[in-house]
Amino acid sequence: MERADQLLTDLQDCEAASLVGAHDAGVEIAARALQTARDCGLLPEAALAAAWLAEHQLRRGESEKAAESARAALAEADALELHQVGIKLRNTLTRAWCQLGRADEALPEAMWALGRARSLGAPGLVSRSLSSLAGVVELLGDHPHAVTLLHKADEEAQRDSDKVAQFSAVVNLAGALCRTGRTLAHLPGPLAPTEAQAADLREALAVVQRAKALAQGHVRWEMVCAEIECLSLEALGRLAEMRAAVDRHRALAIQAKAPDARAESELLHADWLLASGRALEACEALDQQVDAAAAQRNEGCRRWWWRSRYRAFKAAGADAQALAALEAMVVQVRRDRELSLNAQARVLLGEVRMEIAQQELAQLRREAQELRERADVATQTSLLDPLTGLANRRALDARLRAVLPMGPGPAEGFSLALIDIDHFKQINDGWGHDVGDTVLCEIALLLTGGVRGGDFVARIGGEEFVVLLWGQALDDASLACERLRQQVQAHDWSRFVPGRQVTVSMGLACAQPLDDAAQLLRRADQWMYAAKREGRNRLQGG
């Protein structure tokens, strides 16, 4: 039990480390959680730990390790039908492939994650998947389409209560707009954006204000916002405002106590010095204040490091040092361009092959459509209770598998109510099974009419029903269930069972992190029997 408790704590700490940018610690915690889960034979928890391991590896610049960890866990997550974990793994894998320049491998992962997220109807997951897809599109050189996708990701995130998803979407949009406005930022001399680029930069500054409102209290988040502000203001020539943003970033970097954060802060300061016409001071800052090892820890920061050195030394007339920086930068730019062109070529080749395959498979598609329609009818029938027309136990199991386990941390939860008709055997014995069936159908109508459109009602056998109340914690769900119980009690049953009142006993359980379907149903069942023991016609839950 102690190891299981420690595992749950470690999984929660993985998420906490991600929020504060403690990715070194996150890798260590996630690796420990993964080993513990495997030792205990807890496969769902092992898949979730692997997802966090890949995420932290990616965030600290270890793209190849992140891709390896994500790929290793995907098969297990898919086999266990852990759809949310699978989406998280594929989004991480997409970003890793993008950092490695492998858009052809990233694209199918991004499309799969987006399709699955949409099928689950989860706006936060859809938003993250759209952001991942935008990264692929940007790698392929289609910046306008990438920005369009990020606008859609932002819209989806606003429909979700997850603050992390909201911040990620809005800051990714601001970053993409900033990059679009700084496409010639590697050139020496003052930046001179076109009017279209200036418009993108101004929009980036407007969008980042929303990100700042969400980032309050999160040092790493605030640093990202300050960095986008600095780079956008530099390109627009608003240097006084840039200096204030640089100072904010430096104060946050000191608070974060991370070498890479301090290196980024000093790079921003050097860029401000250069933009202010103080090239010699910028060169001195780059030589003496920037931690070169920290500055080159990941691809993005490494490009920034060489670009700043080239521009500063070129402006200062230090040609030998400028040339050395330029040569390093050219190697980097050539590598990026080759990766992008190779990725585009592979994707285009895939499109040609797809077109040929589509022509060859056209006839098979038509034949398959007829079979699919028949199969759909059969599947739909197999998921319905023939008496009441409600979902059956098989449909309930499928729905619970799709949403459980939710994983540790905040999530849009739900509650499950198990409902049993009191003394139903007496109705069958006293009035016959035909009347009993009619009572069951009336209960089904009362339940479906008394819940919201997105809630789920099923008859799982005999006189037992289940209601899934989406997005409702225990207090709200208790109120909803109590209304259902009262509606059943107040219904006119005299048409079917004269002189008898039909009532129900209800057990209510709120889904918890790492619950599986059996655990959740077991808790609801225990509460339902507690209601029976207390005298029936009541609700019990916890």
Side-chain angles (χ1 to χ4, degrees):
M1 188 64 183
E2 290 182 2
R3 296 194 74 187
D5 291 342
Q6 182 60 51
L7 173 59
L8 181 58
T9 299
D10 282 344
L11 290 172
Q12 293 170 338
D13 289 345
C14 285
E15 182 172 16
S18 178
L19 291 175
V20 300
H23 302 299
D24 291 337
V27 166
E28 181 179 342
I29 296 168
R32 183 174 66 224
L34 178 58
Q35 188 60 53
T36 301
R38 285 174 174 168
D39 290 345
C40 296
L42 301 173
L43 299 183
E45 289 77 4
L48 182 59
W52 281 119
L53 176 61
E55 173 75 15
H56 285 294
Q57 288 171 330
L58 180 68
R59 296 285 293 278
R60 72 173 188 178
E62 297 174 342
S63 305
E64 292 185 359
K65 286 185 178 180
E68 182 180 348
S69 297
R71 291 182 74 182
L74 263 176
E76 192 168 82
D78 289 346
L80 294 170
E81 297 186 342
L82 304 174
H83 300 310
Q84 295 187 21
V85 176
I87 293 169
K88 179 179 178 65
L89 284 165
R90 281 184 165 84
N91 281 330
T92 299
L93 185 56
T94 297
R95 288 153 51 208
W97 286 144
C98 284
Q99 289 188 10
L100 295 167
R102 294 163 66 175
D104 58 318
E105 303 226 36
L107 185 58
E109 302 295 350
M111 294 302 295
W112 189 99
L114 179 58
R116 178 63 70 183
R118 281 179 168 154
S119 72
L120 294 179
L125 293 176
V126 171
S127 175
R128 287 184 171 93
S129 300
L130 282 167
S131 294
S132 297
L133 180 58
V136 183
V137 171
E138 189 171 359
L139 176 61
L140 291 169
D142 192 349
H143 293 273
H145 189 198
V147 170
T148 298
L149 288 170
L150 289 168
H151 274 293
K152 291 180 180 178
D154 185 27
E155 292 170 4
E156 289 288 339
Q158 302 315 307
R159 299 173 50 223
D160 195 273
S161 60
D162 184 356
K163 185 178 178 181
V164 178
Q166 292 177 3
F167 176 77
S168 297
V170 73
V171 84
N172 284 337
L173 175 58
L177 289 165
C178 178
R179 287 191 297 276
T180 302
R182 289 174 55 91
T183 52
L184 299 180
H186 60 282
L187 298 178
L191 301 180
T194 65
E195 182 52 42
Q197 289 177 313
D200 285 334
L201 292 164
R202 288 191 291 270
E203 186 180 355
L205 289 172
V207 172
V208 87
Q209 296 307 310
R210 290 174 46 214
K212 287 169 67 176
L214 292 166
Q216 291 183 7
H218 294 273
V219 173
R220 281 283 184 169
W221 292 10
E222 292 183 272
M223 282 177 56
V224 175
C225 295
E227 179 183 321
I228 293 172
E229 280 191 302
C230 289
L231 297 174
S232 299
L233 291 166
E234 178 196 5
L236 289 169
R238 293 158 57 176
L239 300 184
E241 295 170 81
M242 180 187 177
R243 176 57 192 266
V246 169
D247 289 343
R248 278 198 307 277
H249 191 284
R250 177 176 287 173
L252 291 165
I254 292 171
Q255 190 177 346
K257 299 178 182 178
D260 59 329
R262 292 294 301 273
E264 290 171 2
S265 184
E266 296 305 334
L267 284 170
L268 287 170
H269 180 243
D271 285 351
W272 175 79
L273 289 170
L274 178 60
S276 302
R278 298 156 65 175
L280 290 175
E281 293 177 69
C283 294
E284 182 179 346
L286 288 165
D287 272 339
Q288 298 181 15
Q289 296 179 22
V290 178
D291 182 339
Q296 298 185 70
R297 182 168 180 175
N298 63 61
E299 291 290 326
C301 205
R302 188 179 303 120
R303 283 191 290 270
W304 187 0
W305 159 256
W306 287 116
R307 181 204 70 202
S308 294
R309 289 182 67 83
Y310 167 60
R311 294 178 64 228
F313 287 119
K314 179 72 173 177
D319 292 340
Q321 290 164 295
L323 179 61
L326 177 62
E327 289 174 345
M329 194 170 72
V330 166
V331 169
Q332 198 80 33
V333 170
R334 182 184 295 122
R335 175 181 172 274
D336 291 347
R337 176 53 57 190
E338 288 175 353
L339 287 172
S340 180
L341 290 174
N342 287 339
Q344 291 178 42
R346 288 194 294 268
V347 171
L348 288 172
L349 179 59
E351 290 175 353
V352 172
R353 289 174 178 165
M354 180 68 73
E355 179 62 27
I356 294 172
Q358 299 233 349
Q359 294 174 8
E360 293 175 347
L361 290 172
Q363 180 60 37
L364 289 176
R365 276 208 187 106
R366 286 191 291 271
E367 295 174 5
Q369 182 61 32
E370 182 181 348
L371 294 174
R372 191 179 301 115
E373 289 172 358
R374 284 189 294 205
D376 286 345
V377 171
T379 299
Q380 186 67 23
T381 302
S382 72
L383 295 175
L384 294 179
D385 173 45
L387 175 64
T388 63
L390 296 178
N392 61 15
R393 178 58 184 262
R394 183 179 178 188
L396 173 67
D397 290 343
R399 182 64 64 94
L400 291 176
R401 280 198 304 270
V403 295
L404 293 173
M406 295 186 298
E412 182 186 9
F414 67 94
S415 295
L416 183 149
L418 183 61
I419 302 167
D420 186 90
I421 303 175
D422 296 327
H423 300 299
F424 184 70
K425 185 176 185 300
Q426 294 178 10
I427 295 174
N428 274 338
D429 292 345
W431 282 270
H433 287 277
D434 288 343
V435 171
D437 288 348
T438 302
V439 168
L440 290 170
C441 291
E442 285 291 306
I443 292 287
L445 289 172
L446 290 170
L447 294 179
T448 54
V451 299
R452 300 167 304 172
D455 292 333
F456 179 88
V457 182
R459 179 189 175 213
I460 60 173
E463 64 270 29
E464 285 191 334
F465 297 80
V466 162
V467 177
L468 301 183
L469 300 155
W470 302 114
Q472 293 200 12
L474 193 62
D475 291 344
D476 292 336
S478 295
L479 292 174
C481 288
E482 181 59 24
R483 285 196 298 270
L484 291 176
R485 186 196 65 78
Q486 291 175 6
Q487 287 172 10
V488 172
Q489 182 179 1
H491 189 63
D492 180 12
W493 296 103
S494 61
R495 295 173 296 158
F496 315 115
V497 283
R500 185 178 184 89
Q501 185 66 46
V502 177
T503 60
V504 293
S505 297
M506 308 174 73
L508 180 65
C510 185
Q512 301 296 323
L514 306 184
D515 264 347
D516 60 24
Q519 291 170 323
L520 182 58
L521 283 165
R522 189 180 306 117
R523 286 205 309 277
D525 189 59
Q526 290 168 349
W527 284 116
M528 189 268 289
Y529 276 103
K532 295 281 190 185
R533 289 193 299 271
E534 292 293 323
R536 295 182 169 80
N537 189 23
R538 66 191 64 237
L539 167 70
Q540 292 286 338

